[in-house]
Amino acid sequence: MSDRASFDLQRTAKLMSLLKVSDDDVQATIDDRRRRLAVEAALKGTLQLPVRSRKSRIIDPLAEFRSAKLQLIADKEIGKAFTTVDGADKSGYGKNWLTKKLPPMKIDGKEITADWLTEYRQFCQSDSDWQCTPIPTYHIDRIAAIGVPVTIEVMSNCWSWEHDGIKPPVGVQIRRLQYSNWMLDADYRAIAELAISAGQWKMNYWPSPAFTANLNWSDQKLVISSLGLCTVSAADSLWFTNILVANKVAKPNSIWSRVDTVLGGYPLSVELWRDGVSLARSWRPVDRYPSVRAAVSGVNWNFGT
């Protein structure tokens, strides 16, 4: 410290003594000036508040969804779809097989935060214009009992029965969920072999959002992409719908959704009828139907849109 600084401190202390001013009085004056400056800055719109770090709460999304009784397709729900009607496990992994296989829940590659869960819960409880429920869904890409990718053919063999003149292999069928199997015919092998692309978490919607109804296929894709969402493949939509039915979330009520799998220029549709889940090939892309929506996946992270 310089001699000049020492002299200034001594002179200041002496002046304070002569004036009978305490340290607290000086600090109060400083604080008052700061408050006055802060008020002036706020009125001018130039006030900058200090950034305080906020501790993020570590959450277990699976536990949070189950405790809040929110719809979810995870280990328990998938496991239920792979049991016979008498409760026998047909997955090939043994008891609680998916508990050890599921990765941490990330939707569209993003972590689930406490703030996001709050917004999600509010959306599910609101009377939204979407008129649907977003359901986090885990899509597995292989079934151990069969040892092959989860294709449309594999799903038909697991969950279908004799229909369109084609009978699934004996001993493979798990339960009666899906009833259409025209795609197993030799003429449609390209459709039968379509598979779930990768094991990952996705956000699917049940039933499909209302804003996709009464539009042709081109307009459906436009309105979906404008929200940062995407259309769904036939394999993903069949997986999602069959597991919903197995868990009694979706019930037969004539729900039809176009998917982005195209056959002969026509987008296929996944339908839920009295007899079960059907993959259909009858919807022309240029036509509009108030009852036909589009199967949608993804989330724009702003449910209020």
Side-chain angles (χ1 to χ4, degrees):
M1 183 179 291
S2 68
D3 292 340
R4 174 70 179 173
S6 177
F7 175 76
D8 287 345
L9 289 174
Q10 292 174 8
R11 187 170 66 176
T12 300
K14 185 177 181 179
L15 179 61
M16 289 174 63
S17 176
L18 291 172
L19 295 174
K20 296 182 180 181
V21 177
S22 67
D23 291 344
D24 290 341
D25 293 330
V26 174
Q27 186 62 51
T29 300
I30 293 172
D31 291 343
D32 184 68
R33 183 171 182 274
R34 286 175 179 166
R35 282 193 291 272
R36 180 173 56 79
L37 291 174
V39 171
E40 290 176 355
L43 291 173
K44 294 177 181 178
T46 58
L47 179 63
Q48 294 183 347
L49 296 175
V51 178
R52 295 182 176 86
S53 61
R54 191 172 96 180
K55 294 182 179 178
S56 59
R57 182 168 65 92
I58 299 175
I59 62 173
D60 175 1
L62 286 177
E64 293 278 344
F65 273 90
R66 296 205 190 285
S67 64
K69 296 183 179 179
L70 296 168
Q71 296 292 354
L72 175 71
I73 292 180
D75 50 347
K76 294 180 181 178
E77 291 74 21
I78 298 172
K80 185 172 182 178
F82 282 95
T83 57
T84 60
V85 289
D86 59 0
D89 173 39
K90 297 282 283 188
S91 66
Y93 284 112
K95 189 176 181 181
N96 298 327
W97 60 282
L98 274 169
T99 304
K100 301 175 183 178
K101 299 287 181 180
L102 289 185
M105 185 191 290
K106 289 185 179 181
I107 300 178
D108 287 357
K110 296 182 181 180
E111 297 282 355
I112 305 301
T113 65
D115 289 343
W116 183 87
L117 268 173
T118 298
E119 186 177 1
Y120 173 87
R121 188 179 294 109
Q122 290 172 347
F123 178 85
C124 291
Q125 295 170 348
S126 68
D127 184 15
S128 168
D129 291 338
W130 292 35
Q131 296 178 20
C132 63
T133 301
I135 303 178
T137 304
Y138 190 71
H139 296 246
I140 64 173
D141 53 1
R142 288 181 179 271
I143 300 175
I146 303 170
V148 296
V150 182
T151 62
I152 290 177
E153 179 178 15
V154 166
M155 286 189 274
S156 183
N157 288 341
C158 287
W159 294 326
S160 191
W161 63 94
E162 184 173 0
H163 196 71
D164 295 324
I166 300 173
K167 186 175 183 178
V170 176
V172 178
Q173 183 186 19
I174 295 170
R175 58 170 66 209
R176 291 178 53 162
L177 299 174
Q178 179 180 313
Y179 77 90
S180 63
N181 51 24
W182 57 266
M183 72 295 293
L184 303 184
D185 186 273
D187 293 339
Y188 302 104
R189 294 305 305 170
I191 298 296
E193 292 169 3
L194 290 175
I196 294 174
S197 58
Q200 59 182 301
W201 285 101
K202 298 180 182 179
M203 184 71 84
N204 294 100
Y205 295 82
W206 185 260
S208 300
F211 57 73
T212 65
N214 209 19
L215 298 171
N216 62 34
W217 179 231
S218 295
D219 288 341
Q220 283 180 331
K221 288 187 290 185
L222 282 175
V223 70
I224 290 166
S225 63
S226 71
L227 293 172
L229 307 174
C230 61
T231 50
V232 179
S233 72
D236 278 326
S237 187
L238 280 172
W239 168 262
F240 176 61
T241 309
N242 276 303
I243 293 178
L244 286 181
V245 176
N247 286 273
K248 301 187 185 321
V249 175
K251 299 179 181 179
N253 51 2
S254 300
I255 291 176
W256 307 339
S257 295
R258 284 185 175 116
V259 297
D260 65 15
T261 302
V262 177
L263 176 64
Y266 298 176
L268 300 179
S269 64
V270 172
E271 306 173 0
L272 181 56
W273 293 85
R274 175 175 55 85
D275 293 327
V277 182
S278 170
L279 178 61
R281 47 183 167 146
S282 58
W283 297 112
R284 293 182 293 278
V286 296
D287 291 345
R288 299 168 50 180
Y289 304 92
S291 58
V292 178
R293 302 181 180 185
V296 175
S297 180
V299 55
N300 66 357
W301 300 91
N302 181 10
F303 289 116
T305 300

